[in-house]
Amino acid sequence: MKKICYIEFKVHPGPNFEYLSKIVAKHGFSVFMILLLEPGMKPYEKVDGVNIYRLPSTKQNRKELISFIRKASTLIDKHRIDIAHIHSSCLYFALYKIFSKTSAKFIYHSLSYPLSYSNFERTKAMLFINFQCLFMNKTIFQSKEAIEHWKNKWMIRNKSIVPVGFDKEALYPISENRRNKNRSLLGYNDNDCVIVFCGSIAKFRRLDNLLKAFKIVVDQMDNARLLMIGDGNALHELKDLAYTLGIESKVQFTGRIEHCELVDYFGASDIGISYIPINENYTYNPPVKTFDYLSCSLPTIATQTISNGKIITDRDNGLLTSDSIDGVAISIIKLIHDDSMRKQIKQNARSSIMNYEFETIAEKHLIPVYESMLL
């Protein structure tokens, strides 16, 4: 039985690695995963056929990071892993191959375009990644556009595309009774119109624009509510901004929610907002949140990035908007008032993205990559 090991420098696996690893295990591979250890967690457990090892480390400490990589490499050697599949959260990912003493093949999986306010810094980050990819047997990107716009891509050999997707068993339309119960638990009334955002609440994402747009919506519709799911370095700033704008009573911040629990939050909502800035940092990154909302048949508004434009057909399975404050506000108000468009989007949403279901992605894209490397 061939052995695949997924490595993320995170406490919790991202949805792509979490669900793809389980599906790969169902297809007859022996699957391992290496993550960060937090107090109260088990150093080892087996979940849905995946052997999960957690190693202690401090993200801010380079010495601890190198120690994590050495320990992870020892596990790769110990279990005679055939393919080590490394997440983009692993900064010095080439060291896993350098430290490993086995004949394992190594994949680097780029799930994010490098984020920076500076084109120079972004290019420098890509060059650092490109250099490390020289040590890899394969590099995976999430879209054709990400590859096309990657700087000095000629340095990266053996590129493949594995799209971002969703798990149809974890995210789905819930019943009306379950929806009403969840809305009550969250403190919403029947007349409240709940707009949900889910994702990293980071400064790069310019979510202050979303709050300012919501302020315009509230001024016209007093029953509007905003549910902000996620955590990040801009969370406290956004809470302060909500207070400054006088909308703090209409905005609920939940913090991080386990991915498997999101279905109840989305089901309690009326509109999903996939807001990301339309810029070099994000336009080539397919946002997981867009798939998550659509999979729950949630009428979705998405900023018109290149990636969102591939997922959403405007006014058919979603509504595309600019990333300006006024543009987002107008789109929200339009979708709230247009019952016919909202119903059509709701009806088309889930069926429109079934080609991006993780089972399909694993069978058509990921497992063929593994099989070609194992020949």
Side-chain angles (χ1 to χ4, degrees):
M1 185 181 292
K2 297 299 182 180
K3 298 176 180 179
I4 313 294
C5 181
Y6 297 85
I7 306 171
E8 289 196 58
F9 197 63
K10 292 181 175 182
V11 174
H12 304 281
N16 277 271
F17 273 32
E18 178 181 1
Y19 292 107
L20 287 175
S21 62
K22 294 175 183 178
I23 294 167
V24 169
K26 291 179 182 177
H27 279 72
F29 292 85
S30 179
V31 177
F32 299 76
M33 182 174 284
I34 301 174
L35 301 167
L36 291 173
L37 177 70
E38 275 194 345
M41 288 182 162
K42 298 177 181 178
Y44 168 80
E45 61 181 331
K46 191 166 186 174
V47 179
D48 295 327
V50 179
N51 299 280
I52 301 175
Y53 290 87
R54 295 188 176 90
L55 305 175
S57 182
T58 305
K59 289 188 178 183
Q60 293 76 17
N61 187 311
R62 183 175 297 177
K63 183 178 178 180
E64 286 291 316
L65 171 56
I66 301 299
S67 175
F68 175 90
I69 295 172
R70 287 190 178 278
K71 291 175 183 175
S73 300
T74 298
L75 285 173
I76 291 171
D77 293 345
K78 175 182 177 181
H79 293 287
R80 298 183 180 276
I81 298 299
D82 294 292
I83 296 177
H85 192 148
I86 306 171
H87 189 269
S88 55
S89 59
C90 301
L91 183 59
Y92 305 120
F93 60 90
L95 292 180
Y96 290 96
K97 181 167 186 178
I98 293 171
F99 289 160
S100 175
K101 296 179 176 60
T102 67
S103 59
K105 302 291 181 65
F106 286 78
I107 296 173
Y108 172 69
H109 197 143
S110 171
L111 278 165
S112 176
Y113 211 68
L115 306 181
S116 176
Y117 293 115
S118 161
N119 186 57
F120 172 76
E121 292 296 328
R122 189 182 303 112
T123 300
K124 189 168 71 172
M126 288 186 194
L127 286 173
F128 181 57
I129 291 171
N130 293 354
F131 171 73
Q132 294 193 80
C133 284
L134 294 174
F135 295 87
M136 298 290 102
N137 299 97
K138 175 77 70 175
T139 301
I140 288 175
F141 289 87
Q142 75 277 38
S143 69
K144 180 180 69 174
E145 291 76 20
I147 295 177
E148 289 175 347
H149 293 87
W150 195 269
K151 309 292 184 183
N152 299 102
K153 55 181 175 288
W154 57 268
M155 295 177 64
I156 303 176
R157 302 166 298 176
N158 300 321
K159 296 180 285 289
S160 292
I161 296 173
V162 176
V164 174
F166 74 101
D167 185 85
K168 66 182 180 183
E169 303 298 330
L171 295 167
Y172 49 85
I174 63 174
S175 68
E176 192 66 23
N177 286 340
R178 186 171 168 185
R179 166 182 161 83
N180 292 336
K181 179 181 178 181
N182 292 332
R183 285 175 70 91
S184 178
L185 290 171
L186 289 167
Y188 298 129
N189 299 320
D190 291 342
N191 294 329
D192 289 336
C193 180
V194 182
I195 302 149
V196 62
F197 169 87
C198 179
S200 173
I201 301 181
K203 294 179 181 180
F204 273 116
R205 292 179 180 260
R206 294 304 311 273
L207 292 171
D208 55 319
N209 285 345
L210 176 56
L211 284 191
K212 291 170 184 175
F214 182 67
K215 164 65 174 172
I216 297 174
V217 175
V218 168
D219 287 344
Q220 296 191 34
M221 305 183 64
D222 188 61
N223 67 327
R225 301 290 183 269
L226 181 60
L227 178 61
M228 298 286 291
I229 301 173
D231 200 357
N233 60 13
L235 181 58
H236 293 299
E237 291 181 11
L238 287 188
K239 288 181 177 180
D240 290 342
L241 178 59
Y243 178 82
T244 301
L245 295 172
I247 57 174
E248 72 277 8
S249 65
K250 300 183 183 296
V251 182
Q252 183 174 172
F253 294 91
T254 68
R256 184 185 181 278
I257 301 293
E258 292 288 342
H259 196 264
C260 61
E261 298 175 13
L262 290 177
V263 62
D264 283 323
Y265 289 83
F266 295 160
S269 304
D270 299 288
I271 292 173
I273 183 81
S274 184
Y275 180 89
I276 48 176
I278 304 174
N279 59 32
E280 191 78 7
N281 286 321
Y282 290 106
T283 193
Y284 313 120
N285 290 342
V288 173
K289 65 177 70 62
T290 304
F291 292 112
D292 288 352
Y293 301 150
L294 295 177
S295 66
C296 294
S297 294
L298 189 61
T300 298
I301 298 169
T303 45
Q304 197 164 8
T305 63
I306 288 174
S307 292
N308 271 333
K310 290 179 63 179
I311 304 164
I312 287 182
T313 300
D314 193 37
R315 299 171 180 267
D316 179 67
N317 68 332
L319 189 62
L320 294 171
T321 181
S322 73
D323 61 353
S324 70
I325 295 168
D326 288 340
V328 173
I330 289 169
S331 295
I332 293 173
I333 293 168
K334 180 190 297 183
L335 191 56
I336 291 174
H337 286 314
D338 194 331
D339 289 340
S340 176
M341 180 166 55
R342 198 170 62 251
K343 289 177 182 176
Q344 178 175 327
I345 289 173
K346 185 179 180 68
Q347 180 178 345
N348 296 341
R350 184 173 170 89
S351 60
S352 70
I353 57 166
M354 292 311 293
N355 284 339
Y356 293 96
E357 197 274 322
F358 278 135
E359 186 79 43
T360 300
I361 289 173
E363 291 178 355
K364 290 187 175 181
H365 301 279
L366 183 59
I367 292 175
V369 167
Y370 292 158
E371 290 173 340
S372 68
M373 294 176 71
L374 293 169
L375 291 176

